[in-house]
Amino acid sequence: MIPFDALKLDRLMAEAGLDLLLACTRHNVRYLTGGYYYHFHAAATRMAQTQYLPFVGVPRGRVEDTFYVCRPDERGQIDAEGLWIRHRVDAMRGTVPAAESAVKAVRQLGLAESTIGAELPFLPTDAFLVLQQELPKARLVDATPVVDELRAVKTAHELAHLRT
């Protein structure tokens, strides 16, 4: 079951001119996945000289093609929690490998020349540079207002979840 209002997200993305939403913040990854976040990094994202950086990519009008960029060692937890997202792209440790894996998924969806909304105020610079360099014909814009608006009004399911 998709844990958010996919029709509302499609409408918001269309209004913002987005072909793809690329979320990376802890709170929006949790929201879009229905509560999942890799337990190993639930308290802190730092890993040596880099950080844990998951991505959830939602193409407009194609929620069934949503992808999740994760570390290979997350697979057990993902399967145990029954994550609704079926398209998973493995990334090695760090922000650059995560961004490279996101690029791979974007290309597979045929969106390499599209308008991609990312959470720019929260995206590490090295990951942004990878997206920019590897998707030179894509237009990268800030999607923070889109996800803020998506989350602003809760569905009945979300309200029930909050009450529990």
Side-chain angles (χ1 to χ4, degrees), residues 4-125:
F4 56 89
D5 186 339
L7 293 176
K8 180 178 180 181
L9 179 57
D10 279 348
R11 179 180 52 78
L12 293 169
M13 289 174 67
E15 289 171 1
L18 303 181
D19 299 302
L20 177 73
L21 170 65
L22 195 57
C24 65
T25 59
R26 184 179 305 175
H27 58 283
N28 284 324
V29 166
R30 279 189 172 145
Y31 183 81
L32 294 169
T33 60
Y36 174 80
Y37 197 78
Y38 186 37
H39 70 87
F40 190 79
H41 293 289
T45 60
R46 184 170 175 154
M47 296 185 308
Q49 299 300 311
T50 187
Q51 68 178 346
Y52 171 66
L53 185 65
F55 284 102
V56 175
V58 184
R60 185 177 77 219
R62 298 164 45 191
V63 72
E64 68 279 1
D65 289 334
T66 296
F67 65 85
Y68 181 63
V69 174
C70 59
R71 292 193 27 205
D73 52 349
E74 286 184 64
R75 296 258 177 193
Q77 181 179 345
I78 289 171
D79 292 340
E81 292 190 25
L83 184 64
W84 72 273
I85 301 169
R86 298 290 162 230
H87 303 287
R88 300 174 195 150
V89 184
D90 286 337
M92 297 313 291
R93 286 179 178 236
T95 53
V96 169
E100 290 168 345
S101 293
V103 166
K104 177 182 173 184
V106 169
R107 287 181 179 150
Q108 287 175 343
L109 289 171
L111 296 173
E113 297 182 17
S114 64
T115 301
I116 299 170
E119 296 179 272
L120 296 183
F122 306 99
L123 186 63
T125 303

